Amino acid sequence: MRFGQFDDENKEYVINTPRTPYPWINYLGSEEFFGLVSNQAGGYCFFRDAKLRRLTRYRYNNVPTDDGGRYFYVKEGDTVWNPSWGPVKTELDSYECRHGLGYSRITGKKNGLSLSVLFFVPVGKTCEVHAVTLKNESNQKKTFQLFSFLEWCLWNAEDDMTNFQRNFSTGEVEIMDGGQTIYHKTEFKERRNHYAFYHVNSPVAGYDTDRETFIGLYNGFHEPQVVFEGKSRNSKAAGWSPVASQCLEITLGPGETKELSFVLGYIEVDKSQKWESKSVINKKPALEMIATLDSKAKVDAELAKLKDYWKNLLSGYSVKSSDEKLDRMVNIWNQYQCMVTFNMSRSASFFESGIGRGMGFRDSNQDLLGFVHLVPERARQRILDIAATQFEDGSAYHQYQPLTKRGNNAIGSGFNDDPLWLILGVAAYIKESGDFSILDEQVPFDNDESKSKSLLEHCKRSFDHVIHNIGPNGLPLIGRADWNDCLNLNCFSETPGESFQTTENREGRTAESIFIAGMFVSIGPMYADMVERKGDKAEGERVRNEVRKMERVVLDKGWDGNWFLRAYDFFGKKVGSKDNKEAKIFIEPQGYCVMAGIGVASGEAQKALDSVKEYLDCPYGIVLNNPAFTEYVLEYGEISTYPAGYKENAGIFCHNNPWIMIAETVIGRPERAWEYYKKICPSYLEDISDLHRTEPYVYAQMIAGKDAVKPGEAKNSWLTGTGSWNFVAISQYLLGVRPEWDGLVVQPCMTKEVSEYKVVRRARGATYEITVKNSGQAAPAKLTVNGKSIEGNQVPYAPAGSTVQVTCEV
Ligand code: BGC
Ligand code: NOJ
């Protein structure tokens, strides 16, 4: 069942009922000011940090779901309604929500009155615009009231939800022009040099800033007493919960339209210029901001700028094929999700509360794979920030804080896959940009400037970290966990609530990871390429030797007969083996070992992937392990805590499915790769949205697996490494256009269903227009470049500014 449809022309998803199977959300903002908005206008906004600088309040996991937002209420006669349907839930005559790139437009109609709200954050500004269009579509004059409403958060979102003994006494506002502008200035008097405001560019009939007065102490957002009585109280908040609501009295003749622009702004002022007069805040910067958005023409111009911003960003890679579901994912939504993930990391979604974790070392490096072609300069900075949280021995803080850019000890270190992801990120950046100078950048260890070394040296330490941490079988030690955060082989936890990731209560250098071994063989050579290009042949040779050695160890100690083992546990017993009772096979090593090329020539690779098909594949994707754990395995950590079929216990972790897709292209099986791609790709799941539940335009982290109570049900949409890896799989390996050190490789491995397609790829300032004729045979590509045929599958990089015509036949 569908709840809307794609509008590819406008790059929008159009939701045509408010009763989606879960709130379907969108993101506003691209630099510093961000907002989340659901199809019922739920959500919140913040400046840079969703925890420490939250501007509006939202109630996670509340009843009803999705509570708190920027709401508009209409009262016409006795009827009260919202264009977003909720919170009042008066049946509308029509409803539509269009989620576009960086904006959302919600339109409701009732009794001949149409109210449309466009939400967006103008590029370069620290505010949200709520542009309201009212239209009288009836043939009678209409007189009604429009109430705006939002609730301020007292800045620190965590404190705001917990510290009521203080917070109920601190709230302060200032009210200007009869309520046309409402300023939120809690804590401004003391240490904060920032405030927020809500403004409308029209005179108002009344206002409210005290929540209880506006809503009524025992009422919900669906029954605000001020709205139902049609009378603002002009309340001034003193402590408790400050809000901002304006009331406009409006009359529209038949066919008449009215445009209003509401601005929800965030202002920082210099410490010396905080006050206009005693206790009166300096409003100059707010008024300046308001002046840039006080007419429809100005708002339209800002929206046009935003659309240009996204058009330009997304022009780095596009495909035109006969499959519109493919095209819309590649051209619009997958890349958009990658950018949102770049902006948010794992901080704020409807599953991530914005007060939780910092940025992950491994996550950030992998996220980069999906946006490096869009914003290479910002990717460069991100790499330097990440590398600065590495320790001298090559290990790394597992997380760092985006505001301070410092490693955070909450989770600590010792996730032994972390170091290698840095090499992958650096290689992806250089292949994209050609900027080898980044390797010479001096980067601190543990953010200590006195301990700075070149980024190339950081990569060496990453590589050597594996070599210095080898276990009894010659395989890499797993540490606290590898990619799978829940396979904690050095944590035997029997205490409820204890963190599996930070409790390391077994001292041991025995538990080993075949997955890290696969990474080492796949990613190690990228480091060798880099040092060789820097002229150090001997180091390159050393690295390649180590890699060859590891490859042999994997085949010798990491092979279980029909698939790759997952690990050796603390006692040296096999994990992910036919000998195990449960979880006999895991997905991760099958993907990464084959991506590394291990066993491709000798047949293990194909066997492993056939086993994936046989034991892990299901109608909704590839599950993480099989059989699912049904009992708690003390020596494995968190993994078996999850009920069967969910999360890391045999859920479909959409992050690692693309490793199998890529692995299938490595052994030349396009149909399998394609089948796996379509199984988890959201645009192909639109028809089962009722089961899938999360947005059909973005990937979710997890889909419940075959052993779950509800197979096919997704959770945790938006902020996941799934976005970047699926983009890598489809754009670089199936469609087959990927940047290498010296040229753009064009080597499709694409289903015969798509027999012809065209890719336009921007790389290093040049544009490549690539026309592919595809037989569906995984054969070496035959290429012509500007009409001349070339040897091999690599199109040499052309000068910036040029356009290169490429044809490709497979
Ligand atoms: C989740 C993982 C996550 C980890 C760290 C675990 O409970 O299952 O997916 O990576 O916590 O936040
Ligand atoms: C989510 C985490 O953010 C990521 O780092 C990890 O690899 C996966 N969960 C799998 O555990």
Side-chain angles (χ1 to χ4, degrees):
M1 189 180 165
R2 294 184 183 206
F3 299 83
Q5 69 279 339
F6 287 93
D7 175 349
D8 296 331
E9 188 58 32
N10 289 305
K11 303 190 176 70
E12 293 171 338
Y13 191 81
V14 188
I15 303 168
N16 41 40
T17 166
R19 293 176 181 86
T20 42
Y22 205 69
W24 285 0
I25 74 161
N26 192 19
Y27 284 83
L28 316 174
S30 42
E31 282 152 1
E32 295 192 299
F33 189 107
F34 296 102
L36 290 76
V37 61
S38 75
N39 59 315
Q40 285 196 40
Y44 58 94
C45 56
F46 60 91
F47 176 75
R48 288 180 69 190
D49 186 314
K51 176 178 173 181
L52 298 176
R53 212 49 67 79
R54 183 88 58 103
L55 302 194
T56 59
R57 198 173 269 169
Y58 185 75
R59 290 168 176 75
Y60 275 94
N61 198 13
N62 204 40
V63 179
T65 296
D66 196 9
D67 222 18
R70 312 92 171 148
Y71 295 137
F72 289 92
Y73 299 87
V74 174
K75 177 166 167 28
E76 187 184 8
D78 288 336
T79 310
V80 173
W81 57 279
N82 308 107
S84 45
W85 182 60
V88 176
K89 296 201 277 187
T90 299
E91 269 333 299
L92 298 172
D93 298 332
S94 80
Y95 159 94
E96 182 186 84
C97 169
R98 289 179 171 260
H99 285 319
L101 305 181
Y103 67 89
S104 291
R105 189 192 294 276
I106 299 179
T107 307
K109 290 184 192 174
K110 184 76 187 169
N111 300 337
L113 179 64
S114 155
L115 167 48
S116 175
V117 192
L118 167 71
F119 301 87
F120 73 102
V121 173
V123 177
K125 293 194 195 291
T126 58
C127 64
E128 268 181 24
V129 175
H130 308 155
V132 169
T133 306
L134 290 149
K135 185 161 191 220
N136 180 356
E137 294 179 346
S138 77
N139 46 26
Q140 274 148 24
K141 189 163 108 178
K142 281 186 168 287
T143 299
F144 58 91
Q145 290 169 309
L146 174 72
F147 292 87
S148 63
F149 175 79
L150 56 84
E151 186 178 7
W152 301 114
C153 178
L154 307 189
W155 311 119
N156 178 329
E158 188 174 33
D159 188 75
D160 186 69
M161 306 196 290
T162 46
N163 193 11
F164 306 113
Q165 60 80 24
R166 169 179 162 85
N167 296 340
F168 283 172
S169 294
T170 57
E172 286 190 287
V173 297
E174 265 181 50
I175 298 151
M176 295 302 292
D177 301 324
Q180 212 181 315
T181 314
I182 294 167
Y183 292 87
H184 175 225
K185 59 170 188 179
T186 301
E187 291 187 350
F188 188 76
K189 180 172 95 269
E190 28 127 340
R191 293 156 298 175
R192 294 188 183 273
N193 303 328
H194 55 86
Y195 61 79
F197 67 84
Y198 199 39
H199 164 86
V200 55
N201 65 340
S202 167
V204 299
Y207 64 87
D208 275 286
T209 66
D210 175 62
R211 191 186 75 205
E212 275 175 25
T213 307
F214 179 77
I215 293 191
L217 177 59
Y218 293 108
N219 293 2
F221 292 130
H222 64 292
E223 50 189 359
Q225 64 185 18
V226 157
V227 178
F228 277 82
E229 289 168 14
K231 197 168 174 9
S232 291
R233 302 290 201 282
N234 295 351
S235 58
K236 180 159 188 194
W240 296 109
S241 292
V243 300
S245 169
Q246 289 117 345
C247 171
L248 285 84
E249 278 170 3
I250 300 170
T251 299
L252 292 179
E256 202 188 333
T257 297
K258 187 174 178 67
E259 311 275 351
L260 296 164
S261 134
F262 291 79
V263 178
L264 163 48
Y266 171 82
I267 297 291
E268 284 183 357
V269 285
D270 195 85
K271 211 172 164 182
S272 62
Q273 292 174 8
K274 286 174 70 164
W275 304 104
E276 202 172 287
S277 57
K278 185 170 163 60
S279 303
V280 179
I281 63 176
N282 174 3
K283 303 185 183 68
K284 195 161 163 267
L287 296 173
E288 280 166 10
M289 182 186 281
I290 288 168
T292 64
L293 294 160
D294 60 1
S295 69
K296 173 155 167 57
K298 290 181 191 173
V299 168
D300 287 350
E302 290 296 340
L303 181 65
K305 247 195 244 172
L306 179 70
K307 290 195 174 178
D308 275 355
Y309 169 88
W310 280 104
K311 192 171 162 207
N312 181 43
L313 260 188
L314 298 190
S315 61
Y317 192 115
S318 64
V319 63
K320 179 99 194 73
S321 78
S322 52
D323 185 337
E324 58 177 17
K325 293 180 181 154
L326 170 69
D327 293 5
R328 65 171 64 112
M329 278 319 289
V330 171
N331 299 341
I332 306 168
W333 296 100
N334 198 171
Q335 297 195 66
Y336 181 54
Q337 182 174 7
C338 288
M339 271 315 286
V340 169
T341 312
F342 166 71
N343 289 328
M344 297 288 126
S345 188
R346 302 294 176 272
S347 97
S349 72
F350 270 31
F351 298 85
E352 299 278 8
S353 62
I355 61 172
R357 30 187 176 157
M359 294 176 60
F361 190 94
R362 79 157 83 88
D363 291 346
S364 300
N365 277 302
Q366 293 173 84
D367 290 350
L368 192 129
L369 306 176
F371 64 75
V372 62
H373 68 295
L374 300 172
V375 283
E377 333 69 47
R378 294 174 82 184
R380 187 182 208 273
Q381 188 55 48
R382 179 67 56 92
I383 288 175
L384 299 175
D385 293 345
I386 300 169
T389 66
Q390 190 176 28
F391 293 106
E392 283 177 293
D393 70 354
S395 65
Y397 281 110
H398 194 48
Q399 293 183 359
Y400 71 102
Q401 291 309 118
L403 268 190
T404 60
K405 297 185 174 174
R406 290 187 169 268
N408 114 22
N409 226 350
I411 314 289
S413 166
F415 295 75
N416 283 351
D417 63 319
D418 274 338
L420 288 172
W421 295 116
L422 177 65
I423 300 179
L424 182 67
V426 172
Y429 167 72
I430 299 176
K431 288 176 182 180
E432 183 64 46
S433 61
D435 172 21
F436 278 90
S437 78
I438 194 175
L439 293 174
D440 303 323
E441 288 284 346
Q442 294 297 305
V443 183
F445 288 103
D446 192 10
N447 291 105
D448 178 347
E449 295 289 341
S450 71
K451 292 189 276 179
S452 292
K453 287 273 189 282
S454 71
L455 183 66
L456 184 62
E457 178 66 22
H458 279 258
C459 292
K460 175 176 192 292
R461 307 259 174 121
S462 285
F463 182 80
D464 284 346
H465 184 264
V466 177
I467 297 177
H468 296 155
N469 289 280
I470 294 287
N473 292 296
L475 291 158
L477 292 172
I478 195 166
R480 288 191 172 169
D482 57 24
W483 172 87
N484 189 330
D485 266 328
C486 298
L487 191 62
N488 316 111
L489 301 178
N490 293 304
C491 167
F492 293 19
S493 178
E494 295 189 276
T495 308
E498 197 167 63
S499 159
F500 288 96
Q501 271 97 43
T502 54
T503 309
E504 210 177 40
N505 52 13
R506 281 292 182 284
E507 280 296 317
R509 290 182 67 86
T510 41
E512 299 168 300
S513 163
I514 283 90
F515 170 74
I516 300 180
M519 279 183 80
F520 184 80
V521 177
S522 169
I523 294 169
M526 298 177 192
Y527 165 58
D529 290 343
M530 292 191 253
V531 278
E532 284 167 1
R533 273 153 204 275
K534 285 297 220 182
D536 192 344
K537 296 272 177 270
E539 173 70 348
E541 195 44 40
R542 174 184 80 93
V543 169
R544 293 187 198 282
N545 272 331
E546 293 289 353
V547 166
R548 275 192 291 270
K549 206 161 84 190
M550 185 66 77
E551 193 171 350
R552 285 193 295 272
V553 176
V554 171
L555 287 172
D556 190 23
K557 298 287 168 88
W559 181 246
D560 199 48
N562 282 306
W563 55 79
F564 294 100
L565 288 173
R566 178 63 177 86
Y568 285 92
D569 71 11
F570 179 81
F571 304 107
K573 290 195 303 212
K574 292 174 181 172
V575 180
S577 158
K578 57 182 180 309
D579 304 338
N580 293 115
K581 204 166 117 205
E582 301 190 314
K584 292 168 185 286
I585 170 171
F586 283 78
I587 189 173
E588 305 98 310
Q590 323 312 327
Y592 240 99
C593 290
V594 179
M595 281 163 72
I598 303 175
V600 171
S602 45
E604 289 87 348
Q606 186 174 327
K607 266 195 197 165
L609 294 180
D610 287 345
S611 298
V612 168
K613 180 80 194 154
E614 189 171 345
Y615 301 106
L616 300 179
D617 186 30
C618 83
Y620 306 107
I622 311 167
V623 301
L624 197 145
N625 54 283
N626 186 255
F629 291 101
T630 58
E631 285 166 18
Y632 180 48
V633 185
L634 179 65
E635 60 267 36
Y636 285 5
E638 184 171 359
I639 190 160
S640 64
T641 65
Y642 282 114
Y646 293 95
K647 292 280 286 182
E648 280 88 341
N649 182 14
I652 296 155
F653 231 91
C654 299
H655 182 145
N656 56 31
N657 277 223
W659 298 341
I660 300 296
M661 299 166 203
I662 298 171
E664 288 288 357
T665 70
V666 169
I667 65 163
R669 297 200 297 201
E671 300 307 328
R672 279 269 172 91
W674 178 242
E675 184 193 337
Y676 291 140
Y677 175 74
K678 284 197 297 187
K679 273 190 181 168
I680 62 166
C681 180
S683 58
Y684 293 87
L685 307 178
E686 202 187 2
D687 287 337
I688 57 160
S689 288
D690 43 338
L691 169 64
H692 186 74
R693 296 192 69 191
T694 61
E695 298 90 339
Y697 41 93
V698 289
Y699 284 93
Q701 180 204 52
M702 192 233 19
I703 301 173
K706 55 183 171 174
D707 312 284
V709 175
K710 234 188 185 185
E713 183 185 51
K715 288 180 189 138
N716 199 0
S717 53
W718 283 98
L719 306 183
T720 153
T722 304
S724 62
W725 272 109
N726 277 282
F727 188 69
V728 169
I730 188 69
S731 66
Q732 301 193 6
Y733 290 90
L734 281 80
L735 294 168
V737 179
R738 75 174 164 273
E740 269 299 332
W741 306 109
D742 304 309
L744 204 56
V745 166
V746 179
Q747 180 56 68
C749 186
M750 194 57 192
T751 170
K752 59 178 183 307
E753 275 175 35
V754 181
S755 58
E756 258 183 48
Y757 59 91
K758 188 166 177 178
V759 169
V760 178
R761 175 64 153 97
R762 213 170 42 206
R764 305 189 187 186
T767 303
Y768 300 80
E769 297 182 353
I770 305 163
T771 309
V772 178
K773 282 208 164 47
N774 171 43
S775 66
Q777 307 299 312
K782 286 199 238 62
L783 303 184
T784 72
V785 176
N786 291 332
K788 290 205 197 93
S789 65
I790 62 162
E791 288 289 307
N793 61 14
Q794 205 169 120
V795 180
Y797 287 122
S802 55
T803 299
V804 183
Q805 297 296 330
V806 180
T807 68
C808 167
E809 263 184 56
V810 268

